[in-house]
Tab-separated table of all heavy atoms in Angstrom:
chain	number	residue	atom	x	y	z
V	1624	ILE	N	345.201	62.977	136.070
V	1624	ILE	CA	344.293	63.595	135.100
V	1624	ILE	C	344.758	65.032	134.934
V	1624	ILE	O	344.924	65.760	135.915
V	1624	ILE	CB	342.839	63.564	135.599
V	1624	ILE	CG1	342.385	62.124	135.841
V	1624	ILE	CG2	341.904	64.250	134.604
V	1624	ILE	CD1	341.040	62.018	136.524
V	1625	THR	N	345.001	65.468	133.689
V	1625	THR	CA	345.529	66.814	133.463
V	1625	THR	C	344.780	67.492	132.318
V	1625	THR	O	343.894	66.917	131.694
V	1625	THR	CB	347.035	66.763	133.126
V	1625	THR	OG1	347.234	65.913	131.983
V	1625	THR	CG2	347.844	66.215	134.293
V	1626	GLY	N	345.180	68.716	132.064
V	1626	GLY	CA	344.611	69.472	130.950
V	1626	GLY	C	343.147	69.807	131.172
V	1626	GLY	O	342.765	70.327	132.204
V	1627	PHE	N	342.318	69.471	130.177
V	1627	PHE	CA	340.882	69.750	130.267
V	1627	PHE	C	340.094	68.512	130.665
V	1627	PHE	O	338.868	68.507	130.623
V	1627	PHE	CB	340.371	70.286	128.922
V	1627	PHE	CG	340.960	71.624	128.574
V	1627	PHE	CD1	341.990	71.710	127.653
V	1627	PHE	CD2	340.504	72.786	129.181
V	1627	PHE	CE1	342.550	72.935	127.330
V	1627	PHE	CE2	341.055	74.014	128.865
V	1627	PHE	CZ	342.091	74.094	127.946
V	1628	ASN	N	340.785	67.453	131.049
V	1628	ASN	CA	340.119	66.231	131.480
V	1628	ASN	C	339.707	66.339	132.941
V	1628	ASN	O	340.236	67.155	133.688
V	1628	ASN	CB	341.035	65.025	131.271
V	1628	ASN	CG	341.433	64.842	129.819
V	1628	ASN	OD1	340.580	64.861	128.946
V	1628	ASN	ND2	342.723	64.689	129.565
V	1629	GLY	N	338.772	65.501	133.346
V	1629	GLY	CA	338.338	65.545	134.730
V	1629	GLY	C	337.733	66.888	135.086
V	1629	GLY	O	337.150	67.569	134.237
V	1630	GLN	N	337.884	67.279	136.361
V	1630	GLN	CA	337.337	68.557	136.820
V	1630	GLN	C	338.072	68.984	138.074
V	1630	GLN	O	338.865	68.220	138.636
V	1630	GLN	CB	335.844	68.414	137.118
V	1630	GLN	CG	335.513	67.414	138.204
V	1630	GLN	CD	334.021	67.246	138.463
V	1630	GLN	OE1	333.611	66.968	139.575
V	1630	GLN	NE2	333.187	67.406	137.429
V	1631	VAL	N	337.827	70.205	138.507
V	1631	VAL	CA	338.273	70.659	139.822
V	1631	VAL	C	337.025	70.725	140.688
V	1631	VAL	O	336.159	71.578	140.496
V	1631	VAL	CB	338.959	72.044	139.752
V	1631	VAL	CG1	339.291	72.543	141.161
V	1631	VAL	CG2	340.225	71.961	138.903
V	1632	ARG	N	336.895	69.776	141.606
V	1632	ARG	CA	335.684	69.712	142.410
V	1632	ARG	C	335.573	70.899	143.370
V	1632	ARG	O	336.560	71.314	143.966
V	1632	ARG	CB	335.657	68.425	143.237
V	1632	ARG	CG	335.528	67.160	142.444
V	1632	ARG	CD	335.373	65.958	143.368
V	1632	ARG	NE	336.025	64.788	142.748
V	1632	ARG	CZ	336.795	63.939	143.396
V	1632	ARG	NH1	337.020	64.085	144.685
V	1632	ARG	NH2	337.337	62.919	142.747
V	1633	LYS	N	334.359	71.413	143.523
V	1633	LYS	CA	334.110	72.455	144.515
V	1633	LYS	C	334.093	71.856	145.914
V	1633	LYS	O	334.491	72.498	146.890
V	1633	LYS	CB	332.768	73.139	144.241
V	1633	LYS	CG	332.681	73.865	142.900
V	1633	LYS	CD	331.275	74.430	142.696
V	1633	LYS	CE	331.136	75.025	141.317
V	1633	LYS	NZ	329.741	75.529	141.079
V	1634	ASN	N	333.564	70.647	146.003
V	1634	ASN	CA	333.506	69.891	147.254
V	1634	ASN	C	334.166	68.540	146.980
V	1634	ASN	O	333.747	67.814	146.070
V	1634	ASN	CB	332.037	69.701	147.684
V	1634	ASN	CG	331.881	68.941	148.985
V	1634	ASN	OD1	332.668	68.044	149.311
V	1634	ASN	ND2	330.849	69.286	149.741
V	1635	CYS	N	335.199	68.211	147.747
V	1635	CYS	CA	335.976	67.005	147.439
V	1635	CYS	C	335.182	65.721	147.596
V	1635	CYS	O	335.570	64.683	147.062
V	1635	CYS	CB	337.215	66.951	148.330
V	1635	CYS	SG	338.439	68.225	147.943
Side-chain angles (χ1 to χ4, degrees):
I1624 301 172
T1625 57
F1627 294 102
N1628 300 311
Q1630 61 182 211
V1631 175
R1632 293 186 213 136
K1633 298 176 186 177
N1634 181 327
C1635 291

